[in-house]
Amino acid sequence: MPKQQASPPVVDLNADTPCCPPLAQRRVPAETAAALAPAFKALGDPVRLQLMSMIASAEGGEACVCDLTPAFDLTGPTISHHLKTLREAGLVDAERRGTWVYYRARPQILRQLAALLSIEPAPRA
Amino acid sequence: MPKQQASPPVVDLNADTPCCPPLAQRRVPAETAAALAPAFKALGDPVRLQLMSMIASAEGGEACVCDLTPAFDLTGPTISHHLKTLREAGLVDAERRGTWVYYRARPQILRQLAALLSIEPAPRA
DNA sequence: TCTCTGATTCGATGGACGTCAAGACAGGCG
DNA sequence: CGCCTGTCTTGACGTCCATCGAATCAGAGA
């Protein structure tokens, strides 16, 4: 099967600065939506949301798969599949060190997603 | 078919105050993940992300279906289906006024999602 | 080198999802 | 009342997804 993922980086997911104004401020363009929707989709599963949190909140900023897997009533392959999904969405990075594989959150894209959802604190007016 | 959805409100999606600390601060519990994942999932489609933005950024805080539909290369039923998904995820409210139906964003849940994704501005230390 | 453990990939399966055409519903207007 | 316009629901179809068991890959250690 062909590899063919490599969506063209219409929005730079690695940028340190938020790429876009809040969703409620101006209409998000189709290209931006296409670039960021996969990240939201990846977070749209309870297991992956917990995985993301466990990784992002782990001491040292990284979590071992060996610590993640037993936290769920799921098989190893399934957890591995979810981690791959998070990886392909650009939400985490993986690094093998010896026997174990460690996952680490990518704060930039999390910041971008949070910025997109941000709302004026209170519609006082 | 039986109605029976009515997931018990483990997390109050209507609360004005953020329900949860940031995802990267402490591990999000399974119940919270189960409550909020559907909202992320609803935003995980490019069309719905744009719809959400068009609604949230519309003047007067509301958008008419008649203005949303022609913005996409999709049929009316498909847009209607996406709007229903956003509605069932608690992200928008719908109101019929005469011939037209208007959708309006729910800022509370957007704030909750943004708070969950929020990250310390710079990991100094 | 052989084996053991941890992690991923492969293949299959049942269910959910995005989309459309056709039909139904709601409200305004002759 | 009957028609028209706008919106939603229904039914169908093809694709994607979550999950598992089995097989495979990667290092570590004897």
Side-chain angles (χ1 to χ4, degrees), chain B residues 51 55 65 68 79-87 92 103:
Chain B
L51 282 172
I55 295 168
V65 176
L68 299 173
I79 298 298
S80 191
H81 158 71
H82 284 306
L83 289 172
K84 181 179 185 180
T85 301
L86 289 174
R87 221 182 320 130
V92 298
Y103 280 77

Side-chain angles (χ1 to χ4, degrees), chain A residues 41 45 48 73-75 77-78 81-82 98-99:
Chain A
K41 185 194 236 177
D45 181 281
R48 286 194 294 265
D73 243 3
L74 296 170
T75 63
T78 298
H81 159 71
H82 283 306
T99 305

Side-chain angles (χ1 to χ4, degrees), chain A residues 14-27:
Chain A
N14 294 316
D16 269 344
T17 53
C19 69
C20 340
L23 166 158
Q25 190 163 315
R26 60 154 60 52
R27 176 181 164 187

Side-chain angles (χ1 to χ4, degrees), chain A residues 3 13 22 24 33 37 45 51 56 63 65 73 85-86 89 91 102 109 120 122:
Chain A
K3 176 181 278 194
L13 299 179
D45 181 281
L51 282 171
V65 175
D73 243 3
T85 301
L86 290 174
L91 288 164
Y102 294 88
I109 185 171
E120 330 304 320

